[in-house]
Amino acid sequence: MDAAMKRWRVVLGMALAPAVLPLAYALASLLLSGYVFDAPGHLDKFFLEIAAIAIVCYGASYLLGAPVVIGLVLARRLSVLPCVSLSALVGAVAAVLVYLHYREGGVESGLAALLGACAAVLVSTVFCALAGVPWRRRTIAAAA
């Protein structure tokens, strides 16, 4: 683990980064959709939606994102760009696989891949910022 990445920051990133998507959904729903004015009596359903999204986000972050970070740490390649790009790839593949498994209409597989990649980029960027992941991998020059 890099000197800039302290253990408490990594724990903070693991605890708070997956909450970005439910919070973004809640803010977008409240500010952009007029949900507050249309259905004030249905806030229980709204909070249930937020809780369901949070459960899925935390599960996906730990099951899919943790192996990405652990693999990059073990390969000594952990920096922001590889972390975010590999997370986007894993998120896109996972979203397409979920889409193909449930395929009940709605979005196309390309849109599912785009949404999965965007969600993974958002969560991994917040994780990198909170955990103190370095922007560039530090190379140590060999002593001559």
Side-chain angles (χ1 to χ4, degrees):
M1 204 174 290
D2 197 300
M5 289 182 58
K6 299 195 180 342
R7 186 177 307 261
W8 68 270
R9 289 187 69 175
V10 173
V11 171
L12 184 71
M14 288 175 53
L16 296 180
V20 169
L21 286 176
L23 289 175
Y25 174 78
L27 285 175
S29 294
L30 293 175
L31 296 177
L32 302 177
S33 70
Y35 184 81
V36 177
F37 303 112
D38 294 341
H42 300 288
L43 280 179
D44 56 338
K45 291 181 184 179
F46 178 69
F47 288 127
L48 191 60
E49 287 176 6
I50 301 300
I53 293 171
I55 290 169
V56 170
C57 287
Y58 274 92
S61 293
Y62 294 144
L63 292 176
L64 300 174
V68 169
V69 173
I70 291 170
L72 288 171
V73 166
L74 292 177
R76 297 184 188 267
R77 301 261 187 231
L78 184 63
S79 64
V80 172
L81 183 62
C83 185
V84 171
S85 59
L86 280 176
S87 296
L89 179 66
V90 169
V93 169
V96 168
L97 290 177
V98 167
Y99 167 75
L100 291 176
H101 179 32
Y102 288 107
R103 188 187 288 181
E104 294 180 9
V107 298
E108 296 293 325
S109 60
L111 182 59
L114 181 65
L115 291 174
C118 288
V121 164
L122 182 63
V123 172
S124 63
T125 303
V126 171
F127 170 78
C128 288
L130 291 175
V133 175
W135 282 100
R136 281 190 256 156
R137 188 173 52 98
R138 291 183 178 85
T139 55
I140 300 173

